[in-house]
Amino acid sequence: MMRIHVHFFSTIRARIGEKNITIELESGSRVADLKEQIASRYPEAAPTIAGMNSAVNHVFADDSALLTDGAEVAFFPYVTGG
């Protein structure tokens, strides 16, 4: 098992009601697995977490990114500008 430190920003923070949480996942888990775990624990956030950007240890990451014990994962919405 590994412990992942999760940080939420913007709409996902509002839906979950927490700024930070820690989740235990099986070794070899990926960002997609973390999203599934969050959606399971916070069903009201399931539609939102699916479309969030993520960063692992301060580097943008997609859903296939492998997580390691103690990793910090941040979730935030896509941002566009003009």
Side-chain angles (χ1 to χ4, degrees):
M1 293 295 281
M2 57 184 178
R3 294 175 63 91
I4 307 299
H5 307 286
V6 184
H7 307 281
F8 300 111
F9 297 91
S10 188
T11 53
I12 192 65
R13 180 189 291 180
R15 292 202 188 257
I16 289 179
E18 299 281 345
K19 182 177 178 179
N20 306 300
I21 63 170
T22 299
I23 291 183
E24 289 192 3
L25 292 174
E26 295 290 329
S27 295
S29 293
R30 300 181 181 279
V31 170
D33 301 313
L34 177 59
K35 284 183 173 183
E36 287 177 16
Q37 184 73 6
I38 292 167
S40 175
R41 288 188 184 188
Y42 303 93
E44 65 281 4
T48 306
I49 194 72
M52 290 273 116
N53 275 324
S54 61
V56 177
N57 297 325
H58 307 277
V59 177
F60 283 108
D62 64 19
D63 286 355
S64 66
L66 189 62
L67 300 172
T68 57
D69 188 38
E72 288 187 350
V73 179
F75 289 107
F76 49 93
Y78 288 94
V79 178
T80 61

